[in-house]
Amino acid sequence: MGDLLQLVLKRLGYGLLTLLVVSILIFFAVELLPGDVAQQILGQGATPDTVAALRDQLGLDRPAVVRYLEWLTGAVRGDFGISAVTREPVIDSIGTRFVNTLFLAAYAAVIAVPLAIILGIIVALLRNTVFDRVANVLTLSSISSPEFFLGYVLILFFSVKAGMFPAIASLSTGMSFGDLLQRTFLPALTLVLVVTAHMMRMTRAAIINLLASPYIEMARLKGVPPWKVIVRHALPNAWAPIINVVALNLAYLITGVVLVEVVFVYPGIGQALVDAVSKRDFPVVQACSLIFAATFILLNLAADVGAILTNPRLRHPK
């Protein structure tokens, strides 16, 4: 138990160190952008006094290292500063949008994860059949297609031609849960098509790799049905790679929604990031980027810890 706790704490330490490095890259990448931030926000018609006043409000007249330390300290407390455009706290601008992004990711995950595992098991049972070949072609096509392309295809068929779902995922306060699911179905389906294909292929590969093991051959020689061989013998030992790929795809659902949110004009944090970039609202850009990075690192840590807990060789490295 002590070795396991030590491994988990070591992974957490690596994750925090990675997040620190990423925060440095995010902050100073924005700092290295050409031009005066205050001048770009106010436009070319601003007077020098107005630009100087905005630079003072944004703290741009202080050294970059001092501003980074203040920004990092505030970020740890959940305070990302003030928006350069709206002059409101950044956390107020992106808090609701981040909740919307989490809802969209959870909506897609609830559909994608069980669907991918079930399809992966079925394809492993029917490998080298016509169903297996068709599934491989479809999943490769889905993986190879960009999210925005899939989104526009879904809009064409389900919104423009069939009229079943709205093309724009607009949300409003007081709407029912059914309306919420109906309006966000197309962006969620776009994410489902992308991540399901990857998780299904990894599930299939993990199970097929185990089917050549001696204990699987022994179960077959005893006359155990093929479905029972996979469900009772292969699947429990395949959980480690499956959990790993599921956690990585959940990280993608959070951090890879930018294009999907832009296509469907979904009011999530990805759309907020794009809007902030176009308006040169760098405090919001930095906050969104750091949230994306922290979420991705956290879910990667969850994948690491899950792999450790489900793999005896990793739990007892000696």
Side-chain angles (χ1 to χ4, degrees), residues 40-83:
Q40 292 169 352
I41 293 173
L42 295 174
Q44 297 299 322
T47 63
D49 292 339
T50 306
V51 174
L54 182 58
R55 286 182 59 84
D56 181 65
Q57 290 179 3
L58 298 177
L60 298 176
D61 52 347
R62 290 177 294 166
V65 175
V66 174
R67 285 186 283 115
Y68 166 72
L69 293 176
E70 292 178 351
W71 175 72
L72 182 63
T73 304
V76 172
R77 301 194 308 265
D79 179 12
F80 294 98
I82 303 297
S83 169

Side-chain angles (χ1 to χ4, degrees), residues 220-300:
R220 284 174 171 170
L221 291 174
K222 289 181 178 180
V224 179
W227 67 269
K228 191 174 292 186
V229 169
I230 290 180
V231 173
R232 291 192 177 180
H233 299 281
L235 188 58
N237 292 283
W239 278 126
I242 291 174
I243 288 175
N244 201 5
V245 74
V246 166
L248 292 177
N249 278 276
L250 290 179
Y252 168 78
L253 285 177
I254 300 294
T255 60
V257 297
V258 177
L259 291 177
V260 175
E261 291 184 356
V262 170
V263 168
F264 293 96
V265 199
Y266 183 78
I269 194 171
Q271 182 68 52
L273 175 61
V274 174
D275 293 341
V277 170
S278 64
K279 296 176 182 177
R280 314 289 285 183
D281 194 350
F282 292 131
V284 176
V285 173
Q286 291 170 334
C288 292
S289 301
L290 187 64
I291 289 173
F292 278 139
T295 305
F296 189 81
I297 291 171
L298 179 62
L299 289 172
N300 272 272

Side-chain angles (χ1 to χ4, degrees), residues 11-23:
R11 293 295 196 279
L12 290 174
Y14 289 152
L16 290 175
L17 181 60
T18 304
L19 186 59
L20 176 63
V21 173
V22 170
S23 70

Side-chain angles (χ1 to χ4, degrees), residues 102-220:
L102 290 177
F103 171 79
L104 180 61
Y107 189 4
V110 168
I111 301 173
V113 172
L115 180 63
I117 294 175
I118 292 172
L119 287 178
I121 294 172
I122 294 174
V123 172
L125 276 168
L126 303 176
R127 61 174 174 162
N128 299 327
T129 63
V130 175
F131 181 82
D132 184 24
R133 294 188 179 93
V134 171
N136 280 328
V137 171
L138 293 177
T139 53
L140 284 174
S141 301
S142 179
I143 293 173
S144 304
S145 302
E147 296 90 334
F148 64 88
F149 174 75
L150 290 175
Y152 287 129
V153 170
L154 293 177
I155 289 175
L156 175 63
F157 286 100
F158 288 97
S159 181
V160 177
K161 292 188 174 181
M164 298 171 60
F165 302 99
I168 297 178
S170 59
L171 305 182
S172 59
T173 56
M175 61 188 304
S176 66
F177 187 68
D179 288 339
L180 180 62
L181 294 179
Q182 196 259 351
R183 292 188 185 183
T184 57
F185 180 75
L186 287 186
L189 182 59
T190 305
L191 294 172
V192 167
L193 290 177
V194 176
V195 299
T196 298
H198 188 212
M199 287 190 290
M200 191 207 79
R201 291 178 62 83
M202 291 300 295
T203 302
R204 173 186 180 276
I207 292 177
I208 290 177
N209 184 50
L210 286 171
L211 291 179
S213 302
Y215 71 94
I216 297 293
E217 293 293 334
M218 179 61 68
R220 284 174 171 170

